[in-house]
Amino acid sequence: MTLTEMISVAQFRLGNKRNFDAQIVAEIKMAQNALEKDPKLNLWFLFRSWAFQSYIGERSYPLPNNFVKMAELYQPYFQNPQNAIYELKRKPAHLVFRPTTTGIPQYYGLEAQMFITDKDADGVYRIFYYASDEELALTTREENNWTRIAPNILVLRAVMNIAKTVRDMDLFALTKAEYDIEYKNLADMCVAQEDFGYDISRGDTF
């Protein structure tokens, strides 16, 4: 589904009473942003090959603008130019600092949009993270992974929020009920992907 098609569906659900195109696009963008940051969703379709680099003698690195979360669900890893991989364990940022130590980092923390390691890096390492999907825009970016895999939830969230704004509480209630089902389906799919697709019914147990 394209962004134009999503706008058309949203306008129809809003009764085609007035032109909400600009508001619908804004709400769809906000929905994408909010869902990507939802800690309950491990979105498998976000691009996970993104990486930023550590530098020798450094332990604090600004998070990239498109950062969503670390790539590995529990213990992300460093990878050096020889492709050796080292797991990192997370600790509260204020417990990570170890003054005047250098080596292969073992722990990391996130604080104030910074990625902080427990040691000054002794080499150049790549740190992998999930990146936010490309932002949708009419004519220039009509599709992304969200529109291909989960367009319904974006449309429903946009309609739900606009209905609440214009005080159409009947439409809000109806749309929210649908949205809750779509959210549950997406959460189940995330769990199924973590299980390599073995059993989508395990979505109830995450």
Side-chain angles (χ1 to χ4, degrees):
M1 184 177 284
T2 66
L3 179 59
T4 297
E5 291 169 332
M6 292 165 71
I7 293 170
S8 178
V9 171
Q11 283 281 25
F12 177 77
R13 284 174 172 264
L14 288 163
N16 288 316
K17 295 175 183 175
R18 42 190 280 209
N19 189 341
F20 284 113
D21 283 11
Q23 291 86 349
I24 291 168
V25 172
E27 289 289 349
I28 284 173
K29 290 179 181 180
M30 290 169 62
Q32 176 182 322
N33 182 267
L35 290 166
E36 286 178 346
K37 290 176 172 56
D38 189 329
K40 295 180 180 179
L41 300 176
N42 192 31
L43 298 165
W44 75 95
F45 54 82
L46 294 183
F47 192 45
R48 75 177 299 278
S49 295
W50 288 88
F52 58 99
Q53 279 193 162
S54 69
Y55 296 96
I56 296 173
E58 295 289 337
R59 68 176 65 193
S60 298
Y61 311 94
L63 293 175
N65 290 333
N66 62 355
F67 176 86
V68 173
K69 60 184 175 182
M70 304 309 298
E72 308 310 309
L73 189 58
Y74 299 110
Q75 294 183 183
Y77 57 81
F78 270 8
Q79 183 179 42
N80 70 14
Q82 289 73 45
N83 291 321
I85 292 173
Y86 306 91
E87 286 189 328
L88 294 169
K89 296 180 181 179
R90 185 167 183 178
K91 280 189 173 182
H94 70 281
L95 298 178
V96 166
F97 288 105
R98 293 183 182 177
T100 67
T101 55
T102 301
I104 299 169
Q106 295 176 294
Y107 299 96
Y108 80 98
L110 300 176
E111 186 174 81
Q113 288 300 103
M114 298 292 290
F115 178 90
I116 304 165
T117 59
D118 62 320
K119 301 176 183 178
D120 293 341
D122 63 352
V124 176
Y125 298 88
R126 289 194 299 163
I127 307 158
F128 293 87
Y129 68 96
Y130 280 111
S132 58
D133 208 349
E134 294 171 302
E135 187 176 83
L136 293 165
L138 281 170
T139 69
T140 58
R141 176 61 64 184
E142 285 272 341
E143 295 179 282
N144 63 12
N145 286 323
W146 281 97
T147 67
R148 289 184 281 270
I149 295 169
N152 294 6
I153 197 166
L154 299 184
V155 171
L156 289 169
R157 187 160 175 149
V159 172
M160 183 174 71
N161 286 341
I162 293 172
K164 182 169 63 175
T165 300
V166 300
R167 304 293 191 272
D168 188 338
M169 302 316 292
D170 288 338
L171 178 59
F172 171 80
L174 289 170
T175 308
K176 186 178 185 307
E178 260 191 280
Y179 174 83
D180 290 344
I181 293 170
E182 284 294 330
Y183 181 92
K184 177 65 167 57
N185 290 341
L186 181 59
D188 287 354
M189 289 173 67
C190 289
V191 173
Q193 289 292 330
E194 289 171 25
D195 285 345
F196 302 100
Y198 292 151
D199 185 3
I200 198 166
S201 66
R202 272 206 65 242
D204 283 334
T205 65
F206 86 112

